[in-house]
Amino acid sequence: MAQQDDVFKKIISHAKEYGFVFPSSEIYDGLSAVYDYGQNGVELKNNIKRYWWDAMTLLHDNIVGIDSAIFMHPTIWKASGHVDAFNDPLIDNRDSKKRYRADVLIEDQIAKIDDKIEKEVAKARKRFGETFDEAMFRQTNGRVLEYQAKREALHQRFSDAMNAGNLDELRQIIIDEEIVCPISGTKNWTEVRQFNLMFKTEMGSTADGAMTVYLRPETAQGIFVNYLNVQKTGRMRIPFGIAQIGKAFRNEIVARQFIFRMREFEQMEMQFFVRPGQEMEWFKYWKEWRLSWHKALGLGDEKYRYHDHEKLAHYANAATDIEFQMPFGFKEVEGIHSRTNFDLSQHEKFSGKKIQYFDPELNESYTPYVIETSIGVDRMFLSVLCSSYEEQQLENGETRVVLHLPAALAPVKCAVLPLVRKDGLPEKAREIVDDLKFDFTTHYEEKDAIGRRYRRQDAIGTPFCITVDHQTLEDNTVTLRHRDSMQQERVAIADLHRLIHDQVSLPSLLRKINK
Ligand code: ATP
């Protein structure tokens, strides 16, 4: 684990050093859990968004996009349940003055018991060697069974308290389990309070009677309230979907793990409207389709897993997360939810407008059911960055840091490098840039030895380096260097466009989905 922590720290500093992610307001000592994307980060982020957008809107002729405003009528958040129930239970330690999520403290305690079980299993595996029967050991070993029973009892007590919204009981669990504050080491806890995660602000001047509005905590509601507009003006027939990418804001209590949990972040959400009764079929479709979108990137199939929810939100009848193996464990990157007709019905009730669909095949009207796919851009960015980062030992004893980014997502597609800064090589290199720049993000670099320039491009994940040398002036050929293999080949300038395009184009990535 300590080693993984080290890797994660290195990735964070690499992200800063190479212009991917900077802490927000850094010259003023930063703003907690808010980050800025730098010159390379914004390109990578835009490419991730484009990959998602095109996968949704180009590959499905029944999905269209919108871009709704961040400010919305405050009653929307009443209807959606966010004003009353978008809460985290928080608790303070009186000695350290640190604030924690009560549910996270208890979840960590459960994870500690899990760790103890795994340690017993690991010890036994070492002791028994090849003859070790793990399943049998788990079922019969006294100490493991004791831990299991303790874990189950705690888990049950915790979920009962969460389901009932019983804050006193959450506190009591923390006391009974003797959970201490990691900073002060004491058990001097306050009461547990509910804390709403929405940011509030005021619209209009106070003289006019200002209205309290919220920064949206999710983009989905902008889709629901535009359902009728899009369905009517786009003449959409069920099943159909509406996609949106945009900022969301949550006043997260415990913000940590870099861009994994931020207070301002971006979501890519798609609401798919279906006939009631057909939602499970579509839930299955989207669950599989979304995973294949992830896998097409080639980050490693073993890095993904589904986590089906046992405890469902009151409006959902099925939900699963797609988790990705981050340096700090498997974590949610995307949620796929079957939300029934909850949201549209609520907006019908609160707005007093009829929100229904007339199904010409059934000759009847109904409130559509909804399958939602919801993914965080920043978490996706983090999963791509973490799985691409490698410190490689080279045969000549040197090391290089390389980002094996999927070529279609790389911020820079190719760098054109004159071998020396004289003899007409820079001019020739510029000519190549001027031709390629219309199709690919292209860098020109002439400073430093060629090896150092290659390293800089490796560090930002540029798939191709094109080197212009004296032979280029004679026969119009260049060396094309491949990032991952570091292999170089001599190719004609006239072939560059085709060779690069084959590897870096977004359509070539889109074609891999479901293959
Ligand atoms: P978590 O349990 O981690 O708080 P969530 O279940 O509340 O996440 P959803 O409300 O389902 O998340 O939001 C959908 C997606 O939005 C998540 O899968 C995640 O990728 C992203 N997301 C949610 N909260 C944040 C955040 N604070 N920072 C960055 N991304 C976020």
Side-chain angles (χ1 to χ4, degrees):
M1 204 58 197
Q3 208 181 356
Q4 289 296 73
D5 283 352
D6 277 356
V7 174
F8 192 42
K9 279 192 193 134
K10 282 186 187 166
I11 293 171
I12 296 171
S13 53
H14 187 86
K16 184 174 170 210
E17 189 180 342
Y18 286 92
F20 283 88
V21 182
F22 306 126
S24 155
S25 324
E26 202 186 4
I27 57 170
Y28 291 95
D29 295 333
L31 183 66
S32 170
V34 186
Y35 290 89
D36 297 338
Y37 286 84
Q39 66 279 14
N40 289 316
V42 70
E43 297 288 343
L44 173 55
K45 198 177 181 209
N46 283 342
N47 292 338
I48 291 172
K49 291 196 270 185
R50 175 52 62 194
Y51 175 43
W52 184 88
W53 188 264
D54 285 358
M56 285 297 178
T57 63
L58 296 184
L59 304 191
H60 298 91
D61 57 11
N62 56 356
I63 298 183
V64 292
I66 61 163
D67 182 19
S68 71
I70 288 172
F71 290 135
M72 293 196 266
H73 195 287
T75 309
I76 288 172
W77 303 112
K78 196 78 193 145
S80 68
H82 283 80
V83 171
D84 296 321
F86 196 52
N87 296 324
D88 277 343
L90 68 86
I91 189 165
D92 292 54
N93 181 271
R94 290 198 183 92
D95 299 320
S96 66
K97 309 267 181 287
K98 288 278 170 208
R99 180 162 289 177
Y100 300 91
R101 267 173 63 175
D103 55 332
V104 172
L105 286 179
I106 300 170
E107 275 167 9
D108 287 351
Q109 182 75 357
I110 295 174
K112 273 189 199 154
I113 306 177
D114 286 337
D115 273 355
K116 284 185 185 158
I117 296 174
E118 293 317 309
K119 273 198 190 120
E120 290 297 329
V121 174
K123 255 194 331 205
R125 188 178 298 120
K126 216 165 156 194
R127 188 156 15 106
F128 294 113
E130 288 200 345
T131 57
F132 183 53
D133 181 344
E134 184 175 326
M136 179 65 96
F137 181 79
R138 282 181 191 273
Q139 279 163 25
T140 53
N141 178 271
R143 200 167 282 167
V144 169
L145 290 177
E146 201 182 300
Y147 286 139
Q148 280 289 12
K150 200 169 165 217
R151 183 202 189 281
E152 285 317 307
L154 178 56
H155 186 263
Q156 191 58 48
R157 198 175 161 198
F158 170 55
S159 32
D160 289 349
M162 286 297 281
N163 286 336
N166 187 342
L167 302 183
D168 291 342
E169 173 69 353
L170 284 180
R171 180 170 192 275
Q172 200 52 50
I173 296 175
I174 291 173
I175 304 291
D176 293 350
E177 288 294 317
E178 305 192 332
I179 297 175
V180 296
C181 163
I183 309 283
S184 67
T186 72
K187 292 178 253 176
N188 195 2
W189 296 111
T190 61
E191 299 303 303
V192 177
R193 280 167 297 142
Q194 287 290 25
F195 178 79
N196 194 288
L197 298 183
M198 283 197 294
F199 285 98
K200 271 186 209 163
T201 187
E202 302 211 318
M203 189 175 262
S205 75
T206 4
D208 294 336
M211 167 155 84
T212 300
V213 290
Y214 301 95
L215 298 188
R216 66 180 175 198
E218 61 173 35
T219 59
Q221 297 304 323
I223 295 179
F224 290 124
V225 298
N226 276 297
Y227 160 80
L228 279 180
N229 284 337
V230 175
Q231 193 271 318
K232 295 227 159 77
T233 59
R235 301 160 63 83
M236 309 302 289
R237 297 179 73 148
I238 274 180
F240 74 92
I242 305 178
Q244 166 157 241
I245 299 178
K247 289 264 179 157
F249 305 83
R250 295 181 188 180
N251 198 1
E252 300 278 2
I253 302 163
V254 186
R256 56 180 176 193
Q257 286 154 339
F258 192 39
I259 55 173
F260 182 79
R261 190 174 296 288
M262 299 154 91
R263 296 204 165 104
E264 171 178 343
F265 58 101
E266 223 169 338
Q267 289 186 314
M268 306 189 278
E269 297 198 295
M270 194 277 301
Q271 311 292 326
F272 199 70
F273 300 94
V274 303
R275 203 181 266 178
Q278 295 189 339
E279 69 274 16
M280 284 307 162
E281 241 169 79
W282 283 110
F283 177 73
K284 185 166 175 286
Y285 170 86
W286 282 110
K287 191 173 154 177
E288 283 163 15
W289 206 88
R290 289 303 306 149
L291 186 61
S292 90
W293 179 90
H294 285 275
K295 287 187 172 171
L297 288 168
L299 304 178
D301 288 3
E302 73 291 350
K303 295 207 168 88
Y304 299 91
R305 70 178 190 199
Y306 287 121
H307 170 228
D308 294 325
H309 287 214
E310 295 153 34
K311 176 180 165 269
L312 298 171
H314 60 281
Y315 51 80
N317 62 5
T320 198
D321 295 335
I322 294 178
E323 295 185 336
F324 187 82
Q325 192 174 22
M326 302 279 186
F328 42 91
F330 272 95
K331 296 285 167 192
E332 170 184 344
V333 173
E334 171 156 8
I336 298 141
H337 311 123
S338 173
R339 295 177 70 114
T340 65
N341 61 5
F342 173 78
D343 301 270
L344 291 182
S345 304
Q346 285 291 99
H347 289 307
E348 187 167 70
K349 195 163 115 198
F350 279 74
S351 69
K353 305 277 178 334
K354 192 164 172 238
I355 307 181
Q356 296 239 319
Y357 174 76
F358 177 75
D359 193 324
E361 280 170 39
L362 298 181
N363 201 24
E364 66 180 57
S365 292
Y366 52 77
T367 311
Y369 271 43
V370 172
I371 307 300
E372 161 182 89
T373 72
S374 172
I375 170 170
V377 179
D378 313 273
R379 285 195 193 173
M380 188 61 206
F381 184 108
L382 188 61
S383 57
V384 171
L385 189 68
C386 291
S387 55
S388 299
Y389 180 91
E390 191 190 9
E391 275 175 33
Q392 225 173 32
Q393 292 291 338
L394 303 180
E395 278 169 11
N396 63 7
E398 286 177 22
T399 52
R400 70 162 181 161
V401 174
V402 53
L403 290 187
H404 301 284
L405 296 174
L409 301 187
V412 179
K413 304 300 187 214
C414 52
V416 185
L417 318 169
L419 190 62
V420 289
R421 245 193 290 183
K422 56 182 186 188
D423 306 335
L425 300 189
E427 291 74 10
K428 189 72 184 170
R430 289 268 183 210
E431 265 176 41
I432 297 174
V433 172
D434 283 342
D435 182 39
L436 295 178
K437 71 183 180 190
F438 291 93
D439 294 294
F440 313 112
T441 321
T442 308
H443 264 192
Y444 171 83
E445 263 210 88
E446 57 177 27
K447 207 166 163 284
D448 294 327
I450 195 75
R452 290 189 61 180
R453 282 181 273 169
Y454 285 154
R455 291 290 171 276
R456 278 204 295 270
Q457 294 301 329
D458 289 342
I460 63 167
T462 306
F464 295 107
C465 285
I466 298 159
T467 308
V468 174
D469 55 21
H470 291 94
Q471 193 186 329
T472 310
L473 302 179
E474 286 160 25
D475 63 3
N476 275 321
T477 63
V478 288
T479 29
L480 185 67
R481 174 184 179 272
H482 298 255
R483 175 195 67 198
D484 295 342
S485 63
M486 293 190 289
Q487 279 188 345
Q488 304 190 13
E489 52 177 331
R490 197 84 204 166
V491 303
I493 293 174
D495 290 336
L496 277 176
H497 191 281
R498 177 182 52 79
L499 290 168
I500 297 171
H501 184 268
D502 280 354
Q503 300 294 318
V504 309
S505 85
L506 194 51
S508 68
L509 177 56
L510 290 166
R511 278 176 210 282
K512 290 186 190 155
I513 301 175
N514 262 342
K515 286 284 155 7

PDB file of all heavy atoms in Angstrom, residues 10 26 33 55 59 74 90 121 133 137 172 185 228 262 273 284 289 309 319 323 385 394 411 456 469:
ATOM      1  N   LYS A  10       3.691  10.402  -7.001  1.00  0.00           N
ATOM      2  CA  LYS A  10       4.488  10.718  -8.196  1.00  0.00           C
ATOM      3  C   LYS A  10       3.594  11.136  -9.354  1.00  0.00           C
ATOM      4  O   LYS A  10       3.925  12.041 -10.123  1.00  0.00           O
ATOM      5  CB  LYS A  10       5.298   9.486  -8.612  1.00  0.00           C
ATOM      6  CG  LYS A  10       6.522   9.278  -7.749  1.00  0.00           C
ATOM      7  CD  LYS A  10       7.347   8.151  -8.296  1.00  0.00           C
ATOM      8  CE  LYS A  10       8.475   7.826  -7.350  1.00  0.00           C
ATOM      9  NZ  LYS A  10       9.111   6.561  -7.652  1.00  0.00           N
ATOM     10  N   GLU A  26      -3.248  28.598  -6.813  1.00  0.00           N
ATOM     11  CA  GLU A  26      -2.049  28.131  -6.113  1.00  0.00           C
ATOM     12  C   GLU A  26      -1.237  29.262  -5.483  1.00  0.00           C
ATOM     13  O   GLU A  26      -0.714  29.126  -4.386  1.00  0.00           O
ATOM     14  CB  GLU A  26      -1.182  27.329  -7.081  1.00  0.00           C
ATOM     15  CG  GLU A  26      -0.255  26.417  -6.338  1.00  0.00           C
ATOM     16  CD  GLU A  26       0.715  25.721  -7.259  1.00  0.00           C
ATOM     17  OE1 GLU A  26       0.711  26.005  -8.472  1.00  0.00           O
ATOM     18  OE2 GLU A  26       1.498  24.911  -6.756  1.00  0.00           O
ATOM     19  N   ALA A  33      -9.768  21.060  -2.628  1.00  0.00           N
ATOM     20  CA  ALA A  33     -10.570  20.191  -3.507  1.00  0.00           C
ATOM     21  C   ALA A  33     -11.065  20.891  -4.776  1.00  0.00           C
ATOM     22  O   ALA A  33     -12.127  20.548  -5.312  1.00  0.00           O
ATOM     23  CB  ALA A  33     -11.725  19.572  -2.757  1.00  0.00           C
ATOM     24  N   ALA A  55     -19.450   8.802 -28.969  1.00  0.00           N
ATOM     25  CA  ALA A  55     -19.947   7.439 -28.745  1.00  0.00           C
ATOM     26  C   ALA A  55     -21.449   7.473 -28.505  1.00  0.00           C
ATOM     27  O   ALA A  55     -22.194   6.606 -28.972  1.00  0.00           O
ATOM     28  CB  ALA A  55     -19.229   6.803 -27.553  1.00  0.00           C
ATOM     29  N   LEU A  59     -22.955   7.193 -32.527  1.00  0.00           N
ATOM     30  CA  LEU A  59     -23.184   5.756 -32.647  1.00  0.00           C
ATOM     31  C   LEU A  59     -24.624   5.348 -32.326  1.00  0.00           C
ATOM     32  O   LEU A  59     -24.996   4.204 -32.519  1.00  0.00           O
ATOM     33  CB  LEU A  59     -22.203   4.968 -31.769  1.00  0.00           C
ATOM     34  CG  LEU A  59     -20.706   5.231 -31.998  1.00  0.00           C
ATOM     35  CD1 LEU A  59     -19.850   4.204 -31.275  1.00  0.00           C
ATOM     36  CD2 LEU A  59     -20.337   5.244 -33.481  1.00  0.00           C
ATOM     37  N   PRO A  74     -35.203  27.036  -8.406  1.00  0.00           N
ATOM     38  CA  PRO A  74     -34.928  26.290  -7.163  1.00  0.00           C
ATOM     39  C   PRO A  74     -35.919  25.158  -6.870  1.00  0.00           C
ATOM     40  O   PRO A  74     -35.561  24.187  -6.205  1.00  0.00           O
ATOM     41  CB  PRO A  74     -34.980  27.360  -6.071  1.00  0.00           C
ATOM     42  CG  PRO A  74     -35.359  28.639  -6.711  1.00  0.00           C
ATOM     43  CD  PRO A  74     -35.299  28.489  -8.187  1.00  0.00           C
ATOM     44  N   LEU A  90     -22.314  14.312   9.174  1.00  0.00           N
ATOM     45  CA  LEU A  90     -20.954  14.687   9.567  1.00  0.00           C
ATOM     46  C   LEU A  90     -20.789  14.764  11.070  1.00  0.00           C
ATOM     47  O   LEU A  90     -21.746  14.977  11.810  1.00  0.00           O
ATOM     48  CB  LEU A  90     -20.541  15.991   8.895  1.00  0.00           C
ATOM     49  CG  LEU A  90     -21.225  17.277   9.274  1.00  0.00           C
ATOM     50  CD1 LEU A  90     -20.537  17.878  10.477  1.00  0.00           C
ATOM     51  CD2 LEU A  90     -21.118  18.225   8.116  1.00  0.00           C
ATOM     52  N   VAL A 121      -5.855 -15.024   6.298  1.00  0.00           N
ATOM     53  CA  VAL A 121      -5.823 -15.907   5.120  1.00  0.00           C
ATOM     54  C   VAL A 121      -4.407 -15.932   4.531  1.00  0.00           C
ATOM     55  O   VAL A 121      -3.870 -16.992   4.210  1.00  0.00           O
ATOM     56  CB  VAL A 121      -6.857 -15.450   4.054  1.00  0.00           C
ATOM     57  CG1 VAL A 121      -6.726 -16.273   2.783  1.00  0.00           C
ATOM     58  CG2 VAL A 121      -8.275 -15.538   4.607  1.00  0.00           C
ATOM     59  N   ASP A 133      -6.283 -24.840   1.176  1.00  0.00           N
ATOM     60  CA  ASP A 133      -7.637 -24.766   0.611  1.00  0.00           C
ATOM     61  C   ASP A 133      -8.297 -23.518   1.197  1.00  0.00           C
ATOM     62  O   ASP A 133      -8.836 -23.536   2.315  1.00  0.00           O
ATOM     63  CB  ASP A 133      -8.403 -26.045   1.001  1.00  0.00           C
ATOM     64  CG  ASP A 133      -9.816 -26.050   0.432  1.00  0.00           C
ATOM     65  OD1 ASP A 133     -10.296 -24.964   0.018  1.00  0.00           O
ATOM     66  OD2 ASP A 133     -10.436 -27.129   0.403  1.00  0.00           O
ATOM     67  N   PHE A 137     -10.683 -22.903   4.552  1.00  0.00           N
ATOM     68  CA  PHE A 137     -10.117 -22.131   5.655  1.00  0.00           C
ATOM     69  C   PHE A 137     -11.083 -21.018   6.079  1.00  0.00           C
ATOM     70  O   PHE A 137     -11.352 -20.819   7.263  1.00  0.00           O
ATOM     71  CB  PHE A 137      -8.763 -21.555   5.237  1.00  0.00           C
ATOM     72  CG  PHE A 137      -8.087 -20.763   6.313  1.00  0.00           C
ATOM     73  CD1 PHE A 137      -7.413 -21.399   7.344  1.00  0.00           C
ATOM     74  CD2 PHE A 137      -8.131 -19.363   6.301  1.00  0.00           C
ATOM     75  CE1 PHE A 137      -6.792 -20.668   8.357  1.00  0.00           C
ATOM     76  CE2 PHE A 137      -7.517 -18.626   7.307  1.00  0.00           C
ATOM     77  CZ  PHE A 137      -6.844 -19.280   8.331  1.00  0.00           C
ATOM     78  N   GLN A 172     -23.543   6.503  18.089  1.00  0.00           N
ATOM     79  CA  GLN A 172     -23.369   5.426  19.065  1.00  0.00           C
ATOM     80  C   GLN A 172     -22.450   4.330  18.518  1.00  0.00           C
ATOM     81  O   GLN A 172     -21.640   3.768  19.238  1.00  0.00           O
ATOM     82  CB  GLN A 172     -24.760   4.858  19.436  1.00  0.00           C
ATOM     83  CG  GLN A 172     -24.774   4.093  20.751  1.00  0.00           C
ATOM     84  CD  GLN A 172     -24.174   4.891  21.910  1.00  0.00           C
ATOM     85  OE1 GLN A 172     -24.530   6.051  22.146  1.00  0.00           O
ATOM     86  NE2 GLN A 172     -23.210   4.295  22.624  1.00  0.00           N
ATOM     87  N   GLY A 185      -6.284  11.387  17.922  1.00  0.00           N
ATOM     88  CA  GLY A 185      -6.240  10.090  18.607  1.00  0.00           C
ATOM     89  C   GLY A 185      -7.267   9.977  19.727  1.00  0.00           C
ATOM     90  O   GLY A 185      -7.254   9.026  20.505  1.00  0.00           O
ATOM     91  N   LEU A 228     -39.604  17.406 -22.410  1.00  0.00           N
ATOM     92  CA  LEU A 228     -40.701  17.714 -23.345  1.00  0.00           C
ATOM     93  C   LEU A 228     -40.198  18.521 -24.538  1.00  0.00           C
ATOM     94  O   LEU A 228     -40.573  18.264 -25.687  1.00  0.00           O
ATOM     95  CB  LEU A 228     -41.791  18.521 -22.639  1.00  0.00           C
ATOM     96  CG  LEU A 228     -42.794  17.754 -21.780  1.00  0.00           C
ATOM     97  CD1 LEU A 228     -43.788  18.728 -21.178  1.00  0.00           C
ATOM     98  CD2 LEU A 228     -43.523  16.683 -22.591  1.00  0.00           C
ATOM     99  N   MET A 262     -13.898  16.177  -5.949  1.00  0.00           N
ATOM    100  CA  MET A 262     -13.707  17.619  -6.013  1.00  0.00           C
ATOM    101  C   MET A 262     -14.990  18.333  -5.629  1.00  0.00           C
ATOM    102  O   MET A 262     -16.061  17.736  -5.601  1.00  0.00           O
ATOM    103  CB  MET A 262     -13.344  18.028  -7.451  1.00  0.00           C
ATOM    104  CG  MET A 262     -12.062  17.404  -7.946  1.00  0.00           C
ATOM    105  SD  MET A 262     -12.114  17.293  -9.732  1.00  0.00           S
ATOM    106  CE  MET A 262     -11.365  18.830 -10.166  1.00  0.00           C
ATOM    107  N   PHE A 273     -34.854   7.315 -22.215  1.00  0.00           N
ATOM    108  CA  PHE A 273     -36.280   7.202 -21.878  1.00  0.00           C
ATOM    109  C   PHE A 273     -36.886   5.981 -22.561  1.00  0.00           C
ATOM    110  O   PHE A 273     -36.758   5.818 -23.784  1.00  0.00           O
ATOM    111  CB  PHE A 273     -37.018   8.480 -22.313  1.00  0.00           C
ATOM    112  CG  PHE A 273     -36.462   9.712 -21.634  1.00  0.00           C
ATOM    113  CD1 PHE A 273     -35.475  10.485 -22.251  1.00  0.00           C
ATOM    114  CD2 PHE A 273     -36.890  10.084 -20.368  1.00  0.00           C
ATOM    115  CE1 PHE A 273     -34.934  11.595 -21.630  1.00  0.00           C
ATOM    116  CE2 PHE A 273     -36.352  11.194 -19.729  1.00  0.00           C
ATOM    117  CZ  PHE A 273     -35.380  11.951 -20.363  1.00  0.00           C
ATOM    118  N   LYS A 284     -29.700  -3.546 -18.743  1.00  0.00           N
ATOM    119  CA  LYS A 284     -28.685  -4.552 -19.082  1.00  0.00           C
ATOM    120  C   LYS A 284     -27.872  -4.065 -20.294  1.00  0.00           C
ATOM    121  O   LYS A 284     -26.655  -4.152 -20.322  1.00  0.00           O
ATOM    122  CB  LYS A 284     -29.409  -5.867 -19.404  1.00  0.00           C
ATOM    123  CG  LYS A 284     -28.503  -7.027 -19.656  1.00  0.00           C
ATOM    124  CD  LYS A 284     -29.323  -8.326 -19.620  1.00  0.00           C
ATOM    125  CE  LYS A 284     -28.451  -9.513 -20.002  1.00  0.00           C
ATOM    126  NZ  LYS A 284     -28.146  -9.581 -21.437  1.00  0.00           N
ATOM    127  N   TRP A 289     -22.890  -1.918 -22.529  1.00  0.00           N
ATOM    128  CA  TRP A 289     -22.355  -0.995 -23.537  1.00  0.00           C
ATOM    129  C   TRP A 289     -21.351  -0.023 -22.920  1.00  0.00           C
ATOM    130  O   TRP A 289     -20.287   0.260 -23.486  1.00  0.00           O
ATOM    131  CB  TRP A 289     -23.498  -0.215 -24.206  1.00  0.00           C
ATOM    132  CG  TRP A 289     -23.119   0.230 -25.584  1.00  0.00           C
ATOM    133  CD1 TRP A 289     -23.275  -0.472 -26.743  1.00  0.00           C
ATOM    134  CD2 TRP A 289     -22.490   1.474 -25.943  1.00  0.00           C
ATOM    135  NE1 TRP A 289     -22.787   0.254 -27.802  1.00  0.00           N
ATOM    136  CE2 TRP A 289     -22.300   1.443 -27.352  1.00  0.00           C
ATOM    137  CE3 TRP A 289     -22.068   2.587 -25.238  1.00  0.00           C
ATOM    138  CZ2 TRP A 289     -21.713   2.501 -28.052  1.00  0.00           C
ATOM    139  CZ3 TRP A 289     -21.474   3.645 -25.937  1.00  0.00           C
ATOM    140  CH2 TRP A 289     -21.300   3.583 -27.329  1.00  0.00           C
ATOM    141  N   HIS A 309     -25.492  -2.475  -6.702  1.00  0.00           N
ATOM    142  CA  HIS A 309     -25.942  -1.931  -5.413  1.00  0.00           C
ATOM    143  C   HIS A 309     -26.972  -2.845  -4.770  1.00  0.00           C
ATOM    144  O   HIS A 309     -27.918  -3.244  -5.431  1.00  0.00           O
ATOM    145  CB  HIS A 309     -26.602  -0.569  -5.610  1.00  0.00           C
ATOM    146  CG  HIS A 309     -25.616   0.503  -5.925  1.00  0.00           C
ATOM    147  ND1 HIS A 309     -25.764   1.792  -5.506  1.00  0.00           N
ATOM    148  CD2 HIS A 309     -24.445   0.463  -6.607  1.00  0.00           C
ATOM    149  CE1 HIS A 309     -24.737   2.508  -5.928  1.00  0.00           C
ATOM    150  NE2 HIS A 309     -23.931   1.726  -6.605  1.00  0.00           N
ATOM    151  N   ALA A 319     -29.278  -0.648  -9.918  1.00  0.00           N
ATOM    152  CA  ALA A 319     -28.151   0.298 -10.000  1.00  0.00           C
ATOM    153  C   ALA A 319     -26.846  -0.467  -9.915  1.00  0.00           C
ATOM    154  O   ALA A 319     -26.736  -1.444  -9.178  1.00  0.00           O
ATOM    155  CB  ALA A 319     -28.225   1.314  -8.854  1.00  0.00           C
ATOM    156  N   GLU A 323     -16.427   0.229 -11.560  1.00  0.00           N
ATOM    157  CA  GLU A 323     -15.291   0.646 -10.738  1.00  0.00           C
ATOM    158  C   GLU A 323     -14.002   0.420 -11.505  1.00  0.00           C
ATOM    159  O   GLU A 323     -13.889  -0.510 -12.306  1.00  0.00           O
ATOM    160  CB  GLU A 323     -15.258  -0.156  -9.436  1.00  0.00           C
ATOM    161  CG  GLU A 323     -16.456   0.115  -8.545  1.00  0.00           C
ATOM    162  CD  GLU A 323     -16.361  -0.592  -7.186  1.00  0.00           C
ATOM    163  OE1 GLU A 323     -15.647  -1.610  -7.079  1.00  0.00           O
ATOM    164  OE2 GLU A 323     -17.019  -0.121  -6.248  1.00  0.00           O
ATOM    165  N   LEU A 385      -4.985   8.642 -16.605  1.00  0.00           N
ATOM    166  CA  LEU A 385      -3.646   9.097 -16.218  1.00  0.00           C
ATOM    167  C   LEU A 385      -2.913   8.039 -15.386  1.00  0.00           C
ATOM    168  O   LEU A 385      -1.764   7.695 -15.675  1.00  0.00           O
ATOM    169  CB  LEU A 385      -3.784  10.399 -15.409  1.00  0.00           C
ATOM    170  CG  LEU A 385      -2.507  11.137 -15.089  1.00  0.00           C
ATOM    171  CD1 LEU A 385      -1.876  11.705 -16.351  1.00  0.00           C
ATOM    172  CD2 LEU A 385      -2.781  12.295 -14.111  1.00  0.00           C
ATOM    173  N   LEU A 394      15.311   1.287 -18.811  1.00  0.00           N
ATOM    174  CA  LEU A 394      15.721   0.978 -20.181  1.00  0.00           C
ATOM    175  C   LEU A 394      16.955   0.082 -20.172  1.00  0.00           C
ATOM    176  O   LEU A 394      17.680   0.012 -19.177  1.00  0.00           O
ATOM    177  CB  LEU A 394      16.003   2.266 -20.945  1.00  0.00           C
ATOM    178  CG  LEU A 394      14.839   3.258 -20.999  1.00  0.00           C
ATOM    179  CD1 LEU A 394      15.230   4.498 -21.770  1.00  0.00           C
ATOM    180  CD2 LEU A 394      13.615   2.604 -21.631  1.00  0.00           C
ATOM    181  N   PRO A 411      -2.820  14.419 -25.608  1.00  0.00           N
ATOM    182  CA  PRO A 411      -2.949  15.873 -25.840  1.00  0.00           C
ATOM    183  C   PRO A 411      -2.235  16.312 -27.114  1.00  0.00           C
ATOM    184  O   PRO A 411      -2.730  17.162 -27.843  1.00  0.00           O
ATOM    185  CB  PRO A 411      -2.282  16.509 -24.631  1.00  0.00           C
ATOM    186  CG  PRO A 411      -1.961  15.445 -23.674  1.00  0.00           C
ATOM    187  CD  PRO A 411      -2.180  14.113 -24.314  1.00  0.00           C
ATOM    188  N   ARG A 456      10.801  14.351 -23.160  1.00  0.00           N
ATOM    189  CA  ARG A 456       9.728  15.302 -22.821  1.00  0.00           C
ATOM    190  C   ARG A 456       8.411  14.896 -23.478  1.00  0.00           C
ATOM    191  O   ARG A 456       7.353  15.004 -22.886  1.00  0.00           O
ATOM    192  CB  ARG A 456      10.119  16.719 -23.276  1.00  0.00           C
ATOM    193  CG  ARG A 456      11.025  17.435 -22.297  1.00  0.00           C
ATOM    194  CD  ARG A 456      10.918  18.942 -22.452  1.00  0.00           C
ATOM    195  NE  ARG A 456      11.401  19.413 -23.740  1.00  0.00           N
ATOM    196  CZ  ARG A 456      12.662  19.779 -23.985  1.00  0.00           C
ATOM    197  NH1 ARG A 456      13.562  19.731 -23.026  1.00  0.00           N
ATOM    198  NH2 ARG A 456      13.021  20.200 -25.171  1.00  0.00           N
ATOM    199  N   ASP A 469      16.285  15.149 -40.495  1.00  0.00           N
ATOM    200  CA  ASP A 469      17.753  15.194 -40.502  1.00  0.00           C
ATOM    201  C   ASP A 469      18.254  15.570 -41.901  1.00  0.00           C
ATOM    202  O   ASP A 469      17.449  15.916 -42.782  1.00  0.00           O
ATOM    203  CB  ASP A 469      18.330  13.855 -40.000  1.00  0.00           C
ATOM    204  CG  ASP A 469      17.790  12.683 -40.800  1.00  0.00           C
ATOM    205  OD1 ASP A 469      17.315  12.910 -41.941  1.00  0.00           O
ATOM    206  OD2 ASP A 469      17.812  11.542 -40.298  1.00  0.00           O
TER     207      ASP A 469
END
